[in-house]
Amino acid sequence: MSEIAGELARVREAFDRPTLRLLDRKWAPFVLAVFKSSFSRDRRSVQADLLHTQVDAYLADLRTVGSDVPPGKNGRALCVQWMNDQWLYRETGEGDEEHYSLTSHALEALLLVESLSRDRALISESRLTTIVDTVRHRATQANPDREERIRRLDLEIAEKTSERDRLEGGGEIAPVSNEAMLEGYANLVDLINQLPSDFKRVEESVAAMHRQIVNDFRGEERPISEVLDEYLSKTDALMSATPEGRAFEGAFTLLRNDALLQELKSDLETILLHPFALELTANERRGLMGTVRLIRKGIDDVLTQRNGLSETLREHIVNHDVVKDRELERLLREINKELATWMQTAGPRSAVTAELMPGTLEVEHLRERFYDPAAHLPPPDLEDVSDDAPEPPSLDDMRKQGGPLLEELRDAIVTAFTDGDAASVGDAFNDLDANLRRPVEILGMLQIATQIDAVSRAQTLERFETVRPDGSIRSFEVPRIMLTEHETAALAALNYGPDHDA
């Protein structure tokens, strides 16, 4: 085969993958716009009926403004089509509710479109420095020469010792420009945005192994001892059986280090305290601070899939019938195999006529209940008591009975600590206006303090004087919380405005 023919075959194979099939379709902009509007980093799955309704609403909105949309299909039909194209994944969650989530192919397509729509080029000093540092680190690991490793370590130690001595001697700390920080931020966000598709690829690899084992169970004809030996060995080597699983196992050793993740969170807060962060939007700041949560969620999703596979193995071992030569069991296994084969090509509304139970006998019997005219009388008319209805509450009264005013409470606490008038959060709380000292505001205060990890250091209690909506006073003992300058800045960066995702 010539070189160009080989390249053509490889390119055609790439275009047959779901990612490029999505980008190559006529309605690709519409599909990607729906995915981007319906899913986000914090909203990884959507209830099935809700997504059907959302897609119907998007179709109606776009038809109103004159945009072309896929003709002749509603939201449900489009979601089923996207699921068959391997862009959506449907699974049953808690409460037997079905949820949709994006596959790794859809996430990769969204990431590619997002990268092409950026105004800032990612070929920067930050990215090249990352490449050079990574190459230097891997070259040191790959070199078996002991003397060369020692030489590199001595150079690194000498360089860092010289910089430390300079700073200790009062040397000037060169400030980092906003432009350099923005370039580093763009490089960092590009790497972070690749995490969801990476985690999803591992999750799909485990799910594929799950389906393969279930199919093997249905067609298994070997002795039970051989079945158990093989699948127990597969369980032991579950994550090392695929390239994605091996990559995840290597990263998992690093990601389960809570101290490292806590240090990562602290470093992200430090980055956002730099003046360049003023040029970022609230969503960009919130997305960067959600990196640790994104990592933890990806790990949990992969482990949930792996636990599901282990549960399948356990149920098969517990429920497997040793008397395998029974005629009924053999017949049911054959039915399961044929049903699995039929489901690979059957549509969502396909049906097979089969008599599951014997028909009922046609035996005449007496009526058990006779006609009663009294049972068919309409109910009496409702009495009009609208004149006795109490006056409806005012908007101000309803707000007093509602939840905490997070934005106003946050601003008041930040102001108190910025002006230096407050010794603690309780001290600042007791000086607030009566409308911000309701008992429920304590819960709001604890919520925003927990988001900046300021509650865990509390050692003693202090008294909070609250004012109920009826004017009565009530005191509560609450952990004494002190805020540092960094924590005050992090608190000010929290967003509880109209665009906040609840």
Side-chain angles (χ1 to χ4, degrees), residues 228-381:
L228 296 182
D229 288 342
E230 178 177 346
Y231 291 117
L232 286 176
S233 64
K234 279 189 177 182
T235 305
D236 294 335
L238 176 62
M239 296 308 292
S240 61
T242 61
E244 296 86 356
R246 290 191 292 271
F248 176 78
E249 280 293 305
F252 185 58
T253 303
L254 184 67
L255 296 178
R256 64 184 173 185
N257 187 337
D258 290 335
L260 178 65
L261 292 180
Q262 187 62 34
E263 183 179 355
L264 173 61
K265 180 181 178 181
S266 177
D267 290 341
L268 291 173
E269 292 175 353
T270 302
I271 292 175
L272 289 179
L273 292 176
H274 192 274
F276 94 97
L278 298 176
E279 302 181 27
L280 304 179
T281 65
N283 287 334
E284 290 173 336
R285 291 194 298 269
R286 188 163 56 249
L288 185 61
M289 282 303 301
T291 301
V292 175
R293 185 172 65 252
L294 172 66
I295 293 174
R296 293 188 187 276
K297 182 65 168 61
I299 294 175
D300 290 341
D301 289 344
V302 174
L303 294 181
T304 298
Q305 281 287 356
R306 188 166 66 175
N307 292 338
L309 177 52
S310 300
E311 183 67 18
T312 299
L313 291 169
R314 188 192 68 81
E315 290 182 359
H316 177 74
I317 294 172
V318 172
N319 299 324
H320 192 278
D321 192 351
V322 179
V323 188
K324 196 173 181 180
D325 57 352
R326 289 183 180 177
E327 181 179 357
L328 177 60
E329 181 183 357
R330 190 177 299 276
L331 176 60
L332 292 177
R333 283 182 176 273
E334 291 297 327
I335 292 175
N336 272 337
K337 287 175 58 178
E338 294 300 327
L339 181 61
T341 303
W342 177 71
M343 287 296 293
Q344 294 177 2
T345 56
R349 299 186 181 277
S350 300
V352 173
T353 302
E355 185 177 356
L356 300 180
M357 297 294 293
T360 57
L361 297 178
E362 296 183 0
V363 179
E364 296 184 358
H365 61 280
L366 295 176
R367 295 178 60 92
E368 297 178 358
R369 183 176 180 181
F370 296 95
Y371 174 77
D372 183 5
H376 296 269
L377 294 177
D381 295 336

Side-chain angles (χ1 to χ4, degrees), residues 450-462:
T450 301
Q451 289 184 269
I452 60 172
D453 200 20
V455 181
S456 59
R457 296 185 289 101
Q459 300 293 331
T460 60
L461 301 177
E462 62 179 335

